[in-house]
Amino acid sequence: MVSEKITIYGHQASRASRPYWLLREYGLEKGKDFIEVDTGGPVTGYNEVRDSAEFLALNPYRLIPVMTHGEVVLYESQAICQYIAALLGGPLSGQTPAETARINMYGLSSISNFEPNFLPMVFRQGGDEGRARYTANLEPLLSALNSELINRDYLIGESRGRFTVADVMMASVVGQYGRAIKFDFSPWPDVESWVQLTTRRDAFYPPRDMKVKPD
Amino acid sequence: MVSEKITIYGHQASRASRPYWLLREYGLEKGKDFIEVDTGGPVTGYNEVRDSAEFLALNPYRLIPVMTHGEVVLYESQAICQYIAALLGGPLSGQTPAETARINMYGLSSISNFEPNFLPMVFRQGGDEGRARYTANLEPLLSALNSELINRDYLIGESRGRFTVADVMMASVVGQYGRAIKFDFSPWPDVESWVQLTTRRDAFYPPRDMKVKPD
């Protein structure tokens, strides 16, 4: 399927979960089809992998995930996801230039609109007061996302749509973080069903031998 | 060059400057080759354009820029830039799947690494203390960007590289915001020369009849 093995640096409890999820959607198996380089260990202190000259040559920003595939080196989880989808093709990827652009758009929207409000709640920033503020910020944004999902199962495609890498990217923020903090999606019923549809897929869950927490 | 005219909703003093810059790099002219819909006026209060049902159907998040091109509707400035580059092709666009992915990566890096530190300084958030903190945050990031630009003129391409949409996206953050706040790039000489090379291009500057400030 892939002549050279994709290597992902990063562990499941990081944004590396996004490309890992997508690779599993393609039916690819760790070790057999792609390589996982565990980068567990301290994020702020010295980290054997991230502080190695080899890793910093791949990503001078020191962040995970990083992907290598032959000569291709990428950082930024969404760039990696979209590269994998373009490489492996099929219904998970954009079928037209317009679809590919809309996939990119939803990925960017997940970062610009949703991540800055969901992620601080995952880390309990600002405690209860912070949670109330981030939740208030999210209300108009979730109403917007809900309007994009009315009468649809997925973000991309004709009629009710089909599951694509756009859902992987958006649900890795709204769905994964939302579920982690038990966010109440009930005021946005179309978002709520889409969160269930996307994050209850078999491929969403890392296999038991994948590290979910860093060392 | 383009059978149906591209329409951009947004004014120059917004992230719409990114697709406008790119369109000018392609030699396209406002009115003749593409349409600018001015969305000046209040951002927080009622805005005739942004609060219209027509606009909210294009982008329920109410943000600019928005692009329409035939049946294609896009929001998120970087999705628009990458769509235009894919549509019009040539050296400004990715020539291989790897280049296209690296272009996407640099765009994402400009948002995740640089924008959260440059943009608050443009708006003078936190005053002098804020500026000192954002500048400190930027130091390792600019060192990383500098390492990506050593012996290169541009981010993408063989040898010294060639100007692409990746430079438009990255320089719209680091270069444009940095120049706006008179940021001292001298500790990062390769970033400094790249800022000059990219933001001193003719196409960087909006023509006189383009609104630079919203009404």
Side-chain angles (χ1 to χ4, degrees), chain B residues 3-15:
Chain B
S3 59
E4 298 209 56
K5 270 186 192 162
I6 287 169
T7 298
I8 307 279
Y9 293 75
H11 51 82
Q12 275 292 328
S14 76
R15 291 186 180 89

Side-chain angles (χ1 to χ4, degrees), chain A residues 61 73 75-76 102 112 148, chain B residues 73 75-76 102 112 148:
Chain A
Y61 299 89
V73 178
Y75 53 84
E76 290 290 340
R102 296 276 297 184
S112 60
E148 294 179 303
Chain B
V73 178
Y75 54 85
E76 290 291 339
R102 296 276 296 183
S112 60
E148 295 180 303

Side-chain angles (χ1 to χ4, degrees), chain B residues 138-154:
Chain B
L138 280 168
E139 284 170 4
L141 303 172
L142 287 165
S143 295
L145 181 58
N146 201 75
S147 76
E148 295 180 303
L149 285 165
I150 286 174
N151 296 324
R152 300 184 64 81
D153 293 328
Y154 302 110

Side-chain angles (χ1 to χ4, degrees), chain A residues 58 60-61 63 72-76 78-79 82-83 97-98 101-102 104-106 108-109 111-114 140-141 144-145 147-148 170, chain B residues 58 60-61 63 72-76 78-79 82-83 97-98 101-102 104-106 108-109 111-114 140-141 144-145 147-148 170:
Chain A
L58 300 176
Y61 299 89
L63 299 170
V72 185
V73 178
L74 291 175
Y75 53 84
E76 290 290 340
Q78 297 199 344
Q82 289 174 83
Y83 172 83
R102 296 276 297 184
N104 195 18
M105 177 192 87
Y106 284 122
L108 289 159
S109 174
I111 297 179
S112 60
N113 291 316
F114 295 102
L141 303 172
L145 180 59
S147 76
E148 294 179 303
M170 183 68 86
Chain B
L58 300 176
Y61 299 88
L63 299 170
V72 186
V73 178
L74 291 174
Y75 54 85
E76 290 291 339
Q78 298 200 343
Q82 290 173 82
Y83 173 82
R102 296 276 296 183
N104 195 20
M105 177 192 87
Y106 284 121
L108 289 159
S109 174
I111 298 178
S112 60
N113 290 316
F114 294 102
L141 303 172
L145 181 58
S147 76
E148 295 180 303
M170 184 67 87

